Amino acid sequence: MLELREVHTGYGRSTVVHGASITVPPDGGVAIMGHNGAGKTTLLRAAVGLCKATKGTVLLDGEDVTSMRPSGRVARGLAYVPQGQQSFGQLTTLENLQLVADGRARGKDLIDEALDMFPALTALLPRKAGLLSGGQRQQLAIARALITEPRMLILDEPTEGIQPSVVQEIEEKILALTERGNLGVLLVEQHIGFALRAAQHYYVIEAGHITASGDGGTMAASEVREAMAI
């Protein structure tokens, strides 16, 4: 379980998130929605430890990790897929996967499991990641995160900037992850319908404040649009 309690965070002297509290269960999905610049990514970065919480508390499985480095949080089962389909462009697809798997007892099995989830990557294993399409790089980024065997997966705009033909496939994989029963998923996503299908619970953030929350599901779409005034 991931909990942020009254967290304030930002950059330098600028506070972007003001007293935000969210809870992500260990066995389902939570979506955070809001307009561009509302503080969504900053809140995720505070959960990961990339932005320091100046006030409030971050807990992972009940442990206070507020002052812990990102590497320590990763070692405790947190995985983060940031915006931008990030990968090591000069390495091949296989080398990107091996880089994460090396040193793990089940390294080869974990790569095989990741490829089972994203079979399109199999034919791309010898290709440099920098030559992949945006959708292929996003699949690679999620696959790399899953190789770490996380208990909590954080995804920031996983369908942003991806060709429509691949968006549905990525959405289906994320839905499967939220239904696994042994993984918590925290999702920032602009597509309200998809976000609510993937989420048991949602939060709306505006100007760094949590302004609304509720249960997920398609029936909640009108509530979210009203809360976001769209």
Side-chain angles (χ1 to χ4, degrees):
M1 177 181 290
L2 174 67
E3 296 178 81
L4 277 67
R5 298 178 179 174
E6 294 293 325
V7 166
H8 298 248
T9 188
Y11 305 94
R13 297 182 179 180
S14 175
T15 300
V16 176
V17 174
H18 307 268
S21 296
I22 66 169
T23 299
V24 186
D27 57 355
V30 167
I32 299 177
M33 289 169 283
H35 296 294
N36 290 336
K40 304 184 299 296
T41 292
T42 304
L43 185 60
L44 295 192
R45 289 172 61 85
V48 178
L50 296 172
C51 282
K52 180 181 179 181
T54 55
K55 294 181 182 178
T57 307
V58 181
L59 297 114
L60 185 59
D61 291 332
E63 179 184 3
D64 187 343
V65 297
T66 311
S67 300
M68 187 178 292
R69 293 178 179 274
S71 58
R73 303 186 198 197
V74 170
R76 284 161 176 76
L78 192 67
Y80 177 47
V81 181
Q83 289 176 294
Q85 305 99 41
Q86 295 187 10
S87 61
F88 296 97
Q90 294 304 310
L91 300 181
T92 66
T93 298
L94 179 58
E95 288 168 341
N96 268 270
L97 298 175
Q98 290 174 330
L99 190 65
V100 183
D102 282 351
R104 297 181 178 273
R106 297 181 57 244
K108 184 179 183 303
D109 290 340
L110 291 169
I111 290 176
D112 290 341
E113 290 170 10
L115 293 174
D116 285 343
M117 171 157 280
F118 296 104
L121 294 177
T122 301
L124 303 171
L125 290 177
R127 186 177 301 179
K128 286 190 175 181
L131 300 178
L132 303 182
S133 70
Q136 291 164 344
R137 288 196 304 273
Q138 187 64 286
Q139 292 178 71
L140 176 57
I142 298 173
R144 291 175 66 239
L146 292 175
I147 287 174
T148 69
E149 298 185 280
R151 297 195 307 276
M152 183 65 56
L153 177 64
I154 298 179
L155 301 169
D156 192 357
E157 301 278 13
T159 65
E160 181 185 37
I162 293 175
Q163 57 270 42
S165 61
V166 183
V167 166
Q168 183 176 355
E169 181 178 356
I170 290 177
E171 289 182 351
E172 289 173 355
K173 300 305 183 184
I174 293 172
L175 287 169
L177 290 172
T178 63
E179 295 169 358
R180 271 179 27 174
N182 63 349
L183 178 68
V185 178
L186 177 58
L187 170 70
V188 161
E189 177 58 53
Q190 292 283 7
H191 295 98
I192 293 175
F194 162 57
L196 293 175
R197 288 196 305 274
Q200 296 174 334
H201 198 81
Y202 72 85
Y203 296 89
V204 174
I205 185 170
E206 293 295 336
H209 298 269
I210 300 295
T211 57
S213 64
D215 293 332
T218 55
M219 295 298 291
S222 59
E223 299 173 6
V224 172
R225 289 191 175 93
E226 182 178 354
M228 293 174 61
I230 60 174

